[in-house]
Amino acid sequence: MYQERPSRLGGAVVWTGDGSGRVLPDGCMDLLWNEGRLLVAGPDTRAYVTAGAPGSWTGLRFSPGSAPAFLGVPAHELRDRRVELSDLWPVSEVRRLRSRIAAAPDPATALEDLVLERAAPPDPVLRALVTALDAGRPVAVTADELGLGARQLHRRSLVAFGYGPKTLARILRLRRALALAGAGVPFAQTAVRSGFADQAHLARDVKELAGVPLGRLLAAGL
């Protein structure tokens, strides 16, 4: 069973589950704990489907664009990947952190505490970028409003999100559509309200990014 709660780290979410299911792109990255292992889930450009692994999973899902400052690794290096934290940080340091979490009465709280101790202050430009794109603002207009050139915006997006701003906008649009459709809004209205040209455009994007039709996603509770 999957459960989540807001983290004490602004914009983040702490979750627990069995590690199985279809993980949809969301512009985020996760720090994961599973059976004595610390892993990082990089930013996805397509649905990540897994049958799960032995034992339970705990994760902290960073707000979009905030994980690279914590990890010290550009997001594009982890795009569509799951890696051991020891591949990114010194093995001795990761071993110490694993022991600390394993000894804690609640791994989720211990994982959250670890992140809170090392988290960097939020980047106001990245926050403004996500807010604008999530509201459906065009990428070019957003770049102008932020005082960034197209190339500079693309470089910053690769580092923060793992892909360019157009891909981020597309993923955020998908998330808006899923929220509307999940609330019972008819698909045609969902398409228009979330920024798609029409219902067919919505259907194509859902199939490409999520791997299955919208109706199947809703039936699965995603």
Side-chain angles (χ1 to χ4, degrees):
M1 179 181 295
Y2 176 86
Q3 295 180 320
E4 66 176 44
R5 63 169 173 80
S7 170
R8 288 171 285 150
L9 178 66
V13 171
V14 177
W15 60 267
T16 57
D18 62 5
S20 64
R22 181 179 301 271
V23 181
L24 303 183
D26 56 8
C28 302
M29 297 169 60
D30 293 51
L31 181 64
L32 309 171
W33 169 257
N34 170 249
E35 300 296 297
R37 303 164 65 207
L38 279 168
L39 306 98
V40 175
D44 294 319
T45 58
R46 298 290 186 274
Y48 183 85
V49 183
T50 174
S56 62
W57 288 74
T58 298
L60 184 139
R61 181 173 304 115
F62 291 85
S63 60
S66 62
F70 169 80
L71 294 170
V73 178
H76 63 81
E77 294 187 7
L78 302 175
R79 184 173 52 235
D80 294 320
R81 299 176 60 200
R82 270 60 178 165
V83 302
E84 298 280 349
L85 184 61
S86 55
D87 291 341
L88 310 177
W89 288 4
V91 172
S92 59
E93 174 68 3
V94 176
R95 185 182 301 117
R96 183 185 70 81
L97 295 174
R98 288 200 307 256
S99 298
R100 171 180 164 180
I101 296 175
D106 179 20
T109 299
L111 186 70
E112 186 179 22
D113 287 341
L114 182 163
V115 173
L116 284 166
E117 291 169 6
R118 297 165 175 254
D123 184 326
V125 174
L126 295 178
R127 178 179 291 177
L129 173 61
V130 172
T131 299
L133 296 183
D134 196 29
R137 299 286 286 171
V139 171
V141 172
T142 299
D144 288 342
E145 291 173 345
L146 295 176
L148 299 173
R151 291 184 179 180
Q152 185 181 11
L153 179 61
H154 189 79
R155 286 195 300 269
R156 293 194 65 164
S157 294
L158 285 178
V159 171
F161 309 108
Y163 29 67
K166 290 185 179 180
T167 298
L168 175 62
R170 190 178 178 214
I171 288 171
L172 294 175
R173 183 176 62 187
L174 171 69
R175 305 302 302 195
R176 294 196 301 273
L178 291 178
L180 289 169
V185 177
F187 290 178
Q189 293 182 31
T190 289
V192 173
R193 289 174 57 181
S194 53
F196 291 89
D198 52 32
Q199 186 174 339
H201 183 198
L202 167 65
R204 289 194 302 271
D205 251 31
V206 170
K207 188 66 181 294
E208 184 172 347
L209 293 172
V212 295
L214 179 55
R216 182 172 168 187
L217 281 181
L218 297 180
L222 295 176

